[in-house]
């Protein structure tokens, strides 16, 4: 298999998973920033990773361009977020991101890390506003992502685990 791992990472969790994957597969690993679609022409399989922000996988815009220029390539995607693995939420992410020419692409969710001190002011503020809006809801009615957001308040949390990559590796 002639593969490459590409990724877009804002706070580092996606980069960690990308490098783990590249090491396991003994293949190159490249950040999407500055990468040209043509540079991937020599690879049969592209494993793409992106952070999840407001339900969007950050590598998808690049993949749309890539698929338009190289539709014959095998593509697998992993998304990284701070929420616990929840099949219903993962399916929502899949439906929101993988439509049209991307609908056939396998998608795997990996849990990342959360450190508000490392976030940009904008992201930290959005988390605080979201957390404040959730305080009105009873804890039992909160979805898993909301519980994780509350749990991470003021803490450094790291859930990165190679085990999240197993479903992706199994598809290879």
């Amino acid at each position: 298999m002639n593969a490459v791992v590409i990724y877009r990472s804002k706070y580092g969790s996606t980069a960690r998973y990308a490098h783990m994957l590249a090491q396991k597969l003994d293949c190159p690993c490249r950040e999407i920033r500055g990468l040209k679609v043509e540079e991937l022409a020599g690879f049969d399989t592209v494993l793409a990773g992106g952070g999840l922000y407001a339900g969007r996988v950050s590598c998808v815009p690049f993949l749309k361009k890539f698929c338009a220029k190289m539709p014959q390539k095998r593509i697998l995607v992993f998304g990284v977020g701070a929420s616990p693995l929840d099949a219903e939420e993962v399916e929502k992410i899949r439906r929101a991101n993988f439509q049209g020419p991307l609908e056939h692409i396998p998608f795997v969710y990996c849990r990342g890390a959360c450190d508000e001190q490392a976030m940009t002011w904008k992201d930290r503020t959005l988390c605080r506003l979201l957390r404040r809006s959730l305080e009105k809801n009873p804890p039992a009615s909160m979805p898993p992502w909301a519980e994780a957001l509350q749990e991470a308040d003021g803490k450094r949390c790291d859930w990165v685990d190679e085990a999240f990559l197993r479903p992706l590796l199994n598809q290879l």
Side-chain angles (χ1 to χ4, degrees):
M1 178 179 59
N2 185 12
V4 63
V5 178
I6 62 172
Y7 67 93
R8 175 166 280 144
S9 186
K10 190 171 184 178
Y11 295 112
S13 295
T14 306
R16 288 169 61 193
Y17 277 114
H19 288 283
M20 278 184 221
L21 195 54
Q23 185 175 16
K24 279 220 167 284
L25 299 173
D26 192 28
C27 70
C29 186
R30 301 276 315 272
E31 187 172 5
I32 288 174
R33 188 170 293 127
L35 184 65
K36 295 189 181 356
V37 170
E38 295 77 22
E39 294 176 59
L40 302 175
F43 298 99
D44 301 324
T45 303
V46 176
L47 298 109
L52 282 161
Y53 306 101
R56 299 289 179 198
V57 183
S58 65
C59 64
V60 167
F62 180 85
L63 290 177
K64 286 180 181 175
K65 286 187 242 174
F66 179 77
C67 285
K69 291 185 178 182
M70 298 185 192
Q72 74 284 6
K73 301 291 183 180
R74 181 177 185 200
I75 302 169
L76 295 96
V77 177
F78 61 98
V80 181
S83 299
L85 181 60
D86 178 70
E88 190 175 311
E89 289 298 319
V90 171
E91 186 53 34
K92 283 181 189 175
I93 293 165
R94 170 172 244 321
R95 283 193 311 268
N97 289 273
F98 300 95
Q99 303 145 0
L102 304 182
E103 66 188 351
H104 69 283
I105 295 175
F107 173 71
V108 171
Y109 178 80
C110 302
R111 193 169 188 195
C114 184
D115 179 4
E116 285 188 30
Q117 296 306 312
M119 289 181 185
T120 63
W121 177 85
K122 179 183 173 184
D123 288 346
R124 195 170 40 251
T125 301
L126 288 171
C127 282
R128 287 179 184 152
L129 290 171
L130 184 54
R131 196 176 288 114
R132 198 172 299 147
S133 73
L134 293 169
E135 288 173 355
K136 300 169 187 144
N137 300 332
S141 69
M142 283 192 201
W145 64 265
E147 289 178 31
L149 182 66
Q150 299 291 36
E151 173 193 336
D153 187 15
K155 299 177 196 160
R156 285 181 133 158
C157 300
D158 188 348
W159 303 283
V160 174
D161 186 341
E162 198 174 285
F164 284 112
L165 294 173
R166 279 191 202 121
L168 192 67
L169 292 167
N170 289 341
Q171 291 186 43
L172 293 172

